Amino acid sequence: MARPRVFVTRRIPDEGLLPIGEACDLRTWEGELPPSRAELLEAVEGCDGILTLLTDRVDADLLDRAGPRLRVVSNYAVGYDNIDVAGCAARGIAVGNTPGVLTETTADLAFALLAASARRVAEGDRYVRAGRWLTWGPMLLLGPDLHGAMLGIVGFGRIGQALARRATGFDMTVLYWSRTRLDPAEEARRDVAWADLDDLLARSDFVSIHASLSPGTRHLIDAAALGRMKPSAILVNTARGPIVDQAALADALRRGVIAGAALDVTDPEPMAPDDPLAGLDQCLIVPHIGSASPATRGRMARMAAANLLAGVRGEPLPNPVVPG
Ligand code: DGY
């Protein structure tokens, strides 16, 4: 019997590629950069399964080009806003993602960004390397304390909750906003309190975003939301870039509406070198590395491979995305 034909859109860790290669007729895109749209459309033709990254747009055009054999799209990410999930479901194509395995690693980075932007770590590094460190200075690079500060978490799924655990360990007070509220006993056990979004924005010293991107959360943090925040507040985003209106953020930082921002995600990605945010010292930016530890990327690869292999065999996916 012919082996299922699959395309993996970038080299992922061997924990995922090896089992796929053993069971399938595998083609992997070997470029450092993603395939162009034309290359992607050509590569998916006649495939039974595709393993995609968040840089690959899976829409009706792509599904048309893949053709009727396509049974599964396995995303190497927990987020799946790059995929038309309803369109896949309408064609009977399963979609999988990698929830859970990257929670702690992403929360580590969110906390690192929060601490680094408060204590001006990147600015300090630039200052030293520029030869500007002349003496110990009583007023040099002052930044707010984390302990005793209020952290507002927007979106309280796995990663938001993991950030809350870190923050309470640093003696921060934690507010959260999400559509579904924990029951009061659970809030007490976790030492967190629910607040509506406007209230959370107004009271928090740090605001960290952990919602998924959907039409309802696109530009959730716009000029009006930024205007509700404290002038001393710092915004952290490790979720998806378009949740923040980036032009409004640059303007708010320039005018001192808020004090700082730390971004693992931008809109678009990669950020253009001449983006207004890139010129602002009070904005810390890293290139979407929330899940970037070897162990976590290995676990994501195994999980994405398991989804892909189940899908091409016509079996239920271990981690299916359910159309919302
Ligand atoms: C995800 O999984 O959605 C992250 O953004 C990348 O690991």
Side-chain angles (χ1 to χ4, degrees):
M1 210 175 85
R3 284 148 65 90
R5 190 164 154 191
V6 304
F7 180 56
V8 176
T9 66
R10 212 93 60 81
R11 177 155 274 282
I12 60 168
D14 282 348
E15 287 96 315
L17 280 184
L18 293 178
I20 298 172
E22 277 162 20
C24 302
D25 173 6
L26 164 65
R27 178 173 171 213
T28 306
W29 184 258
E30 296 289 349
E32 271 289 294
L33 296 178
S36 68
R37 185 71 181 163
E39 288 162 336
L40 178 65
L41 293 182
E42 192 188 325
V44 301
E45 264 177 35
C47 280
D48 301 279
I50 316 170
L51 191 148
T52 49
L53 272 57
L54 51 85
T55 42
D56 307 310
R57 193 174 75 251
V58 178
D59 56 10
D61 281 350
L62 183 141
L63 299 175
D64 285 345
R65 275 296 279 278
R69 288 174 55 151
L70 188 64
R71 304 183 92 168
V72 58
V73 176
S74 170
N75 215 31
Y76 180 70
V78 64
Y80 47 83
D81 46 279
N82 56 311
I83 299 177
D84 175 0
V85 176
C88 287
R91 297 169 192 239
I93 299 166
V95 177
N97 69 339
T98 63
V101 292
L102 49 79
T103 300
E104 302 298 332
T105 302
T106 306
D108 283 347
L109 185 83
F111 198 80
L113 290 180
L114 196 149
S117 59
R119 299 305 305 275
R120 305 176 66 178
V121 172
E123 277 182 77
D125 182 74
R126 287 195 289 273
Y127 183 86
V128 172
R129 286 171 203 272
R132 295 172 59 204
W133 186 18
L134 303 180
T135 183
W136 185 86
M139 309 305 269
L140 179 63
L141 288 169
L142 306 186
D145 286 321
L146 301 184
H147 65 273
M150 172 98 62
L151 167 64
I153 300 180
V154 175
F156 208 57
R158 292 185 191 85
I159 300 173
Q161 292 176 22
L163 178 65
R165 290 196 294 278
R166 283 154 181 76
T168 50
F170 273 73
D171 284 338
M172 300 182 84
T173 305
V174 177
L175 294 177
Y176 76 97
W177 172 77
S178 76
R179 286 180 219 292
T180 45
R181 193 175 164 175
L182 302 178
D183 71 53
E186 192 54 26
E187 288 182 352
R189 192 184 70 73
R190 291 169 186 264
D191 202 8
V192 299
W194 185 89
D196 76 33
L197 184 58
D198 287 355
D199 188 34
L200 178 149
L201 293 171
R203 290 168 61 199
S204 298
D205 301 300
F206 299 88
V207 173
S208 189
I209 300 170
H210 298 282
S212 51
L213 177 62
S214 68
T217 60
R218 183 172 293 272
H219 287 193
L220 180 70
I221 305 299
D222 58 7
L226 291 161
R228 285 186 193 100
M229 291 171 63
K230 295 182 180 179
S232 55
I234 291 176
L235 177 73
V236 178
N237 189 6
T238 53
R240 284 292 183 265
I243 297 174
V244 176
D245 176 344
Q246 210 159 279
L249 175 62
D251 184 56
L253 288 170
R254 240 188 267 109
R255 293 193 298 111
V257 174
I258 66 168
L263 309 176
D264 181 40
V265 290
T266 61
D267 180 22
E269 291 182 8
M271 172 184 264
D274 62 352
D275 188 286
L277 288 177
L280 296 177
D281 249 353
Q282 65 275 45
C283 188
L284 173 57
I285 309 161
V286 294
H288 205 148
I289 53 171
S291 62
S293 78
T296 289
R297 289 285 165 85
R299 282 191 289 266
M300 289 167 65
R302 264 199 298 277
M303 201 175 227
N307 281 333
L308 185 78
L309 291 174
V312 295
R313 291 176 183 135
E315 296 164 5
L317 309 198
N319 288 286
V321 171
V322 183

